[in-house]
Amino acid sequence: SSQTLATNMTEGGYTNVQSALAEKGYDIIKEDEESGEEEEDLFGRIPKLEPDEAREKGKQAFQDGKYDKAIKYWQGGLKHILGSLCSGPEALSNQSLSELDLTLNLNIAMAYMKKEDYQAADRCVDKALARREALPSHLITKALYRKASAQRSMRRLDDCLATLKDLLEVEPNHAAAKQMQQEVERDWNKQCRDQKKNFRKIFDKLSGEDREAEELERKEREALRERCAVRWTEGDLDSEAFVLGSTPACSGKDWGLALSRTVVWAVEQLALEGHDCLSRDLSRAAIWFIGASSTCELRWLRPAELLKRLPTVQSLELELVGFLGEIDPDNSRVPDPKVNDLPEGIVETQLEKRQALLRATKGTLDEALEQGLVFKDETTEVLPQVCFIAHPQLHRYFTEFHPAINWLIKKSVPTVIIGASEPDPSWKQDEHLLQKLGATIVVSKRESPYPMCLPGDSTVKKCSHIIGFRGGKAIERDKLMNAKIELLSQDYIVR
C-alpha cells in the first residue's frame, strides 16, 4: 500500500524519489504546486481529468510557457483514458480513445521538446504509437514526424532516418518529412566521413610503443590463461580469436554442449580479469548454480563436458539449488512441474578416474545453507570456487534473488549471470540491477562464443552472454524498496 511504501522510505528520500519519477514522465506532481480543488494522494499523484478538460488546461499552460504544468494536466487526461481502456477488450480498439491518447501524448512530447528533454519526448511518442493499428494514417505520420524531430535533436541521426523511412511508407508525399530526410542524410553522411577521418588519425598514431604495449597485454593474458584450470579441447573455439572478431560464435545447436562450454568460458573470463577462481593447482572444486528449475537451461548441463575442460580437477562438486517454480503474470507462484522427479542424493559422473558429483536441492539458498550446503574444514568456512545464476530474469525476480545475491556479495564469491533469451532485457539492464544491489562488476557484459541457438535460425539465442561480479557493498532488505523505486524512476523494469 502507499502507507507501507512511505514508511519504508528513508528520511528525506521521498522528495528525491518523487522528483526523479516526475522527470521521467510518471504521474507525480510536487506538493507545493496548486491543484485547485483536485485532491492529491500521499505521493502527489495527478487525479484523473476529463480528456477535453485536460487538453484545454494543458494548452493554456503551454501557451503561458508553463510546460511542467501543461504536462501534468495532459497526464491527468491520460489517466482518465487509461481507466476507460481497462473497461474491456472493446475499448482497446476504440479509435476515439486511441486518438485522444495519441493527442495528449504528442502534446506532452511537444512540451518536453520545449524543455529540451528530447529523450522524454521520444518516450512519449512511443506511448502515443502503442495502439498504432487503431489510428488513422494522418495521426501516425504526425507522431512519427515528432519522433524523428526528437531523435534529430539528440543527434541520433541513424534512428531519425529509420523513423522517417517508416513515415514515408505511410505517407510517401509528406513534404516536411522528405525535407528533413534530405537534411539528416546530409548530416549523417558528414558524420560518417568525420568518424572515418578520426579513426584514420587514431590508427596513424599507433606507434611502436603502442604495439609493444599490445604485445605485452597479449602475453599477460596468455600467462593468466596458463594459470587457469581451463583447457579447451578439439572443436572448441580460440577464445582470443573470438574476442578479436576473427572467429565467429559456434552454431549452438547442441544446447548441452553450448551451456557447458559457456560455464567453462566464464571461468576463463574471470581469470582474465584477475579473479582466478579455478587455478591449475586445485584438485577439488565446487560450483554452485542458484535459481535452478527442471524447466530452465540447467537441465542441459553435462558434468562430463566440464571435466574434459578442467583436466586438473579430480573431484568436481556441482550444487543445483532452487526448483521453486515460477511467478505467472498474475503474480502467483506456479510450482516446478518436475520437482518430484529430482534425483535423490548425489549423482556421480566418472571420467578417467576423475569424478563430478551433482546434487539437486529444492529451496532458497538460505534454506540450502541451513541444510549444510557450506561445510567447515576445521575452523574455515569452505565456499564454492564460483557460482552461476543461469537465465535469472533478474527484472522479474529482483526481490526473490536479493537474499542470495546479498550473501554472495558478502562472502565475495565470484558469481556469473548467464543470460538470457532475446528480447529479454537482461543485456540492457542486469549489470545496472546488480550494481544497485551493491555488487562490484568484475566481468562486464560480454557475448559468449557458445550461445544456445534455435535450430535453423542462429539469430534466436539464449544464454548468449555473461556478467560477472565479486564482492561489493550489499544492500540490506530494508533498503530494497528504495532501490526498486530509484530503478523505476530511471526507466528500469523490476518487480
Side-chain angles (χ1 to χ4, degrees):
S1 68
S2 296
Q3 185 173 357
T4 303
L5 181 62
T7 303
N8 287 337
M9 300 181 76
T10 58
E11 185 69 25
Y14 168 74
T15 302
N16 294 336
V17 171
Q18 186 188 37
S19 300
L21 287 169
E23 289 176 0
K24 294 300 180 182
Y26 284 80
D27 298 339
I28 292 179
I29 62 177
K30 299 178 182 178
E31 296 177 357
D32 59 350
E33 289 205 20
E34 296 182 0
S35 57
E37 298 178 355
E38 301 155 356
E39 294 184 357
E40 303 171 2
D41 65 9
L42 177 64
F43 287 92
R45 283 188 284 254
I46 300 168
K48 295 180 182 178
L49 290 175
E50 289 289 340
D52 290 336
E53 179 187 3
R55 182 167 51 192
E56 292 306 314
K57 286 186 174 181
K59 179 180 179 181
Q60 185 60 52
F62 184 87
Q63 291 174 347
D64 293 341
K66 299 176 180 179
Y67 304 124
D68 289 326
K69 193 171 184 179
I71 288 170
K72 291 162 192 170
Y73 279 132
W74 289 327
Q75 286 176 338
L78 287 174
K79 289 191 71 172
H80 189 283
I81 293 172
L82 179 61
S84 300
L85 290 171
C86 292
S87 62
E90 299 83 5
L92 292 176
S93 58
N94 185 317
Q95 182 169 329
S96 176
L97 283 176
S98 296
E99 290 181 10
L100 279 172
D101 179 83
L102 178 137
T103 298
L104 293 179
N105 270 306
L106 289 187
N107 287 350
I108 294 172
M110 181 170 58
Y112 275 126
M113 290 183 71
K114 287 290 186 179
K115 287 162 56 68
E116 298 185 357
D117 188 347
Y118 302 113
Q119 288 187 351
D122 190 30
R123 288 196 300 270
C124 289
V125 177
D126 286 337
K127 293 177 184 177
L129 290 169
R131 284 176 296 281
R132 177 172 176 168
E133 67 281 354
L135 296 170
S137 59
H138 73 280
L139 290 181
I140 294 174
T141 56
K142 180 179 180 180
L144 290 173
Y145 189 82
R146 193 151 295 170
K147 182 177 180 67
S149 299
Q151 291 170 330
R152 184 183 187 184
S153 297
M154 290 186 285
R155 301 300 296 170
R156 286 166 41 190
L157 302 182
D158 51 342
D159 292 334
C160 178
L161 289 172
T163 302
L164 289 171
K165 180 181 178 183
D166 186 6
L167 189 161
L168 290 171
E169 287 175 354
V170 178
E171 187 179 334
N173 296 321
H174 195 292
K178 286 184 175 181
Q179 179 65 28
M180 185 190 293
Q181 186 183 49
Q182 292 177 357
E183 294 170 357
V184 174
E185 281 181 344
R186 186 165 56 248
D187 291 343
W188 173 245
N189 291 332
K190 182 179 184 301
Q191 181 175 302
C192 291
R193 289 194 301 271
D194 291 343
Q195 286 178 343
K196 288 180 180 179
K197 289 179 182 178
N198 290 335
F199 283 142
R200 281 197 295 269
K201 289 179 182 178
I202 292 172
F203 293 139
D204 290 343
K205 289 181 180 179
L206 284 175
S207 62
E209 292 181 359
D210 295 324
R211 288 189 290 273
E212 287 176 7
E214 290 176 358
E215 179 63 19
L216 179 60
E217 181 180 353
R218 186 187 66 78
K219 289 181 178 179
E220 288 176 350
R221 291 170 67 86
E222 284 183 0
L224 291 170
R225 282 195 174 93
E226 182 63 27
R227 289 197 292 270
C228 179
V230 174
R231 290 295 179 271
W232 296 107
T233 63
E234 185 177 354
D236 295 336
L237 292 183
D238 182 330
S239 298
E240 191 69 19
F242 176 76
V243 171
L244 296 174
S246 56
T247 297
C250 281
S251 65
K253 295 179 181 178
D254 186 334
W255 283 15
L257 183 58
L259 178 61
S260 302
R261 283 167 159 175
T262 293
V263 168
V264 177
W265 178 75
V267 170
E268 182 184 65
Q269 295 305 299
L270 283 167
L272 292 175
E273 299 296 339
H275 300 272
D276 190 8
C277 54
L278 269 174
S279 58
R280 294 196 67 190
D281 57 0
L282 278 178
S283 60
R284 177 182 178 181
I287 302 178
W288 294 1
F289 297 86
I290 308 300
S293 80
S294 64
T295 60
C296 87
E297 286 66 25
L298 287 178
R299 71 186 187 276
W300 299 97
L301 191 67
R302 295 181 188 170
E305 297 296 340
L306 300 180
L307 285 173
K308 286 179 184 178
R309 292 161 179 80
L310 301 170
T312 59
V313 176
Q314 301 302 309
S315 179
L316 181 62
E317 300 166 9
L318 305 173
E319 297 280 359
L320 275 61
V321 180
F323 308 99
L324 296 174
E326 299 181 358
I327 297 176
D328 65 14
D330 296 325
N331 211 31
S332 300
R333 187 167 290 279
V334 179
D336 191 304
K338 297 182 180 180
V339 67
N340 295 325
D341 298 330
L342 293 178
E344 295 184 4
I346 296 174
V347 178
E348 183 176 350
T349 300
Q350 292 283 343
L351 181 68
E352 299 174 352
K353 297 183 179 181
R354 297 185 296 128
Q355 63 179 2
L357 307 174
L358 185 146
R359 177 171 61 178
T361 302
K362 179 186 176 183
T364 65
L365 178 59
D366 285 343
E367 291 168 343
L369 291 170
E370 289 179 3
Q371 297 175 28
L373 190 62
V374 171
F375 63 91
K376 291 189 175 181
D377 182 5
E378 296 180 354
T379 60
T380 304
E381 188 177 39
V382 180
L383 300 172
Q385 272 63 50
V386 62
C387 179
F388 287 86
I389 307 177
H391 203 337
Q393 299 189 71
L394 196 54
H395 64 290
R396 291 187 62 203
Y397 298 93
F398 188 75
T399 302
E400 284 76 8
F401 270 115
H402 169 258
I405 292 176
N406 185 284
W407 186 87
L408 292 165
I409 291 172
K410 289 181 177 179
K411 298 297 182 180
S412 198
V413 176
T415 305
V416 176
I417 302 292
I418 302 179
S421 56
E422 299 175 0
D424 186 286
S426 172
W427 174 263
K428 292 183 178 179
Q429 67 177 40
D430 272 8
E431 194 168 314
H432 190 77
L433 299 190
L434 290 168
Q435 290 173 327
K436 184 58 67 175
L437 289 172
T440 297
I441 304 299
V442 296
V443 177
S444 57
K445 62 183 181 184
R446 57 194 64 176
E447 292 186 10
S448 168
Y450 304 108
M452 301 165 71
C453 299
L454 187 68
D457 188 354
S458 61
T459 61
V460 181
K461 306 173 184 177
K462 61 192 330 183
C463 292
S464 56
H465 70 270
I466 66 167
I467 302 168
F469 69 87
R470 185 175 193 177
K473 188 176 181 180
I475 66 167
E476 299 303 330
R477 182 80 180 187
D478 60 348
K479 300 291 192 298
L480 188 60
M481 180 59 75
N482 279 352
K484 291 171 71 173
I485 292 174
E486 289 176 15
L487 287 167
L488 287 170
S489 74
Q490 298 166 17
D491 288 340
Y492 290 97
I493 306 170
V494 288
R495 60 183 289 185

